[in-house]
Amino acid sequence: MPSTPSTDVVVIGLGYVGLPLVMGAVDAGYTVTGLDSDAGTVDALNAGRSHIDGITDADIASAVAKGFRATTEPAVLGEAGTVVVCVPTPLADDGGPDLGAVESAMRSMAEHLRPGTLVVLESTTYPGTTDEVVRPILERRGLRAGSDFNLAFSPERIDPGNPTYGLKNTPKVVGGHTGACAERCAGFYREFVDTVVTARGTREAEMAKLLENTYRHINIALVNEMAKFCQELGVDIWDVIRCAATKPFGFQAFYPGPGVGGHCIPIDPNYLSYKVRTLGYSFRFVELAQEINQSMPGYVVRRIQDLLNEHSKPLRGSTVLLLGVTYKPDVHDQRESPAVHVARHLVEWGADVVFHDPYVPEWSVNGTTVRRAEDVDAELAFADISVLLQPHSEYDLADIAGKARLLFDTRGKVEHGDVARL
């Protein structure tokens, strides 16, 4: 159990990564404080209200009752024995890494850093960030990593909405600035994670996260490209994958779709590509996969156009109903959802776009509000074509197939002879 009194742990960033970490640490008996720049988020959490999938209001209320509190005041950093940084690492306008939030968090940390503190970065980044960016900021006031304080990197592996794997039963990789740093970090996570895996150092831990998501990125691009030419060859790509997946070794099934979304796959491989470019190389696998995956929303719109043409209708002026606009099924999370790009292309081609999603009450594309279908049955009967972008479990797919005038299934989930599939 934690040995440090008062505030044992401060988690910086209370989103999809930081909040599950808070819950795990609280359940392990730590006294936890959450630090976030969004006053609305802080107020809601202190009032017992959750803002992310998988964590209920009751969960937050229970954590508050056990001593959890949220704040916008960085002075709390000076009270903690362990500080974990879970801030966003998006892409900059030029497609490179944007470490602004990480650097800001570390500057605040440096102002309050005490001897003996463990500082852990969980935000996904390129290999070398912990040592080349984070450590110099933390050492500006004279304390040294590895001797005066502990420094480590531990990549987040949170999968929002996953009913099988959560924080506790997903192995946790840790890499320390020194061996002692790694052991201190591993000891912290062992309190609430079943399996902790120690990397040789921070760079290996940083690279492991990028390898995980680059692997997915490239394999999704493979099946996306296969989906395109299978359509031209008259081959059912979904049946191909079903058959291939029966092989008990040497194959893992990946599936095509209207694009890739979420906080990992569209972004993380670019961090690796960026780092490789600093060496004077290009990471051709990643760059080609990015090109293919980014082409899928446009391909989906071309297929919509072709399907309408087969029914003697132009895309311009047709009503297109988009079903499911989150980035994955059964979550509220819309980060990097390909639905935005599909809708943008449709609007540019003059279509009248309508959407429905049980998790999204309001939706806008390029600053313009998209009309929400309140009566789905009526909209299915009215729309010239309905497009299944996300197969939420709340959707009765057979019922949708029966009521839609024309249905295009981009996820291969609808078993109906008259339904067009990606």
Side-chain angles (χ1 to χ4, degrees), residues 2 40 93 127 133 137 140 142 160 230 254 256 266 274 292 294 350 384 410 420:
D93 292 340
V133 177
I137 294 175
R140 284 176 181 173
C230 279
F254 289 83
Y274 161 82
I292 294 168
Q294 287 179 345
D384 295 290
T410 70

Side-chain angles (χ1 to χ4, degrees), residues 16 51 84 88-89 92 113 161 188 194 196 225 228 244 250 263 333 345 363 386 388 411:
Y16 278 89
H51 60 285
V84 186
T89 47
L113 184 61
F188 166 66
D194 293 339
V196 176
E225 188 159 43
K228 292 180 180 181
H263 62 298
D333 197 348
H345 286 304
W363 192 50
S386 300
L388 181 66
R411 297 293 182 174

Side-chain angles (χ1 to χ4, degrees), residues 342-421:
V342 171
R344 178 172 54 80
H345 286 304
L346 287 169
V347 170
E348 289 173 352
W349 279 95
D352 178 18
V353 179
V354 185
F355 90 98
H356 178 269
D357 192 303
Y359 295 91
V360 182
E362 297 179 352
W363 192 50
S364 62
V365 175
N366 291 347
T368 301
T369 299
V370 179
R371 180 170 69 85
R372 188 177 193 272
E374 301 301 335
D375 186 337
V376 179
D377 288 349
E379 207 68 55
L380 286 166
F382 175 78
D384 295 290
I385 185 170
S386 300
V387 184
L388 181 66
L389 295 178
Q390 209 56 265
H392 296 302
S393 57
E394 185 172 317
Y395 286 147
D396 184 333
L397 300 183
D399 186 61
I400 289 173
K403 292 177 178 176
R405 297 172 65 182
L406 178 60
L407 180 62
F408 179 32
D409 174 15
T410 70
R411 297 293 182 174
K413 296 293 186 180
V414 182
E415 296 295 337
H416 194 288
D418 295 331
V419 172
R421 299 202 293 178

Side-chain angles (χ1 to χ4, degrees), residues 134-271:
V134 171
R135 183 173 62 85
I137 294 175
L138 295 178
E139 291 183 341
R140 284 176 181 173
R141 291 177 175 259
L143 296 180
R144 292 290 175 260
S147 55
D148 300 313
F149 68 94
N150 293 283
L151 177 63
F153 179 81
S154 180
E156 61 88 8
R157 282 175 163 174
I158 298 298
D159 185 16
N162 191 319
T164 304
Y165 292 102
L167 180 68
K168 181 175 175 58
N169 66 347
T170 302
K172 199 82 171 77
V173 173
V174 302
H177 178 63
T178 64
C181 292
E183 185 52 41
R184 170 80 182 277
C185 183
F188 166 66
Y189 285 113
R190 287 192 187 108
E191 294 290 341
F192 51 92
V193 178
D194 293 339
T195 303
V196 176
V197 179
T198 303
R200 293 186 64 178
T202 56
R203 294 170 189 264
E204 286 76 13
E206 291 162 338
M207 183 67 87
K209 171 66 175 179
L210 298 184
L211 175 59
E212 294 169 17
N213 286 324
T214 300
Y215 167 80
R216 294 168 64 200
H217 180 59
I218 289 172
N219 281 282
I220 291 170
L222 171 64
V223 294
N224 275 336
E225 188 159 43
M226 287 190 72
K228 292 180 180 181
F229 63 71
C230 279
Q231 168 65 21
E232 298 294 325
L233 293 171
V235 175
D236 185 340
I237 182 64
W238 306 98
D239 197 53
V240 171
I241 296 171
R242 179 184 67 84
C243 293
T246 62
K247 186 178 181 181
F249 54 90
F251 181 84
Q252 180 179 352
F254 289 83
Y255 299 92
V260 292
H263 62 298
C264 289
I265 299 178
I267 295 175
D268 295 357
N270 288 281
Y271 272 60

